[in-house]
């Protein structure tokens, strides 16, 4: 859903079939605090910690 244009009526047709996790991810990835935490995690050892996952409620696919 990264191509979601909230101004476009055509895009809303795609959004109707979207999963709630798609919307949650779109909100989370735009959160400046999440972005900073993610950047910090990757700069330390290139991996996110269990604490990071718990804080943000995310899991990453391998």
């Amino acid at each position: 859903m990264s191509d979601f244009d909230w101004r476009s009526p055509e895009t809303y047709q795609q959004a109707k079939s979207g999963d709630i996790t798609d919307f949650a991810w779109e909100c989370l990835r735009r959160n400046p605090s999440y972005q900073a935490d993610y950047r910090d995690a990757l700069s330390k050892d290139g991996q996110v910690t269990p604490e990071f996952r718990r804080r943000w409620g995310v899991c990453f696919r391998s």
Side-chain angles (χ1 to χ4, degrees), residues 2-20:
S2 58
D3 295 331
F4 186 81
D5 176 7
W6 63 271
R7 294 179 189 102
S8 168
E10 295 82 25
T11 302
Y12 276 96
Q13 292 304 315
Q14 296 172 342
K16 286 181 181 179
S17 64
D19 188 67
I20 191 69

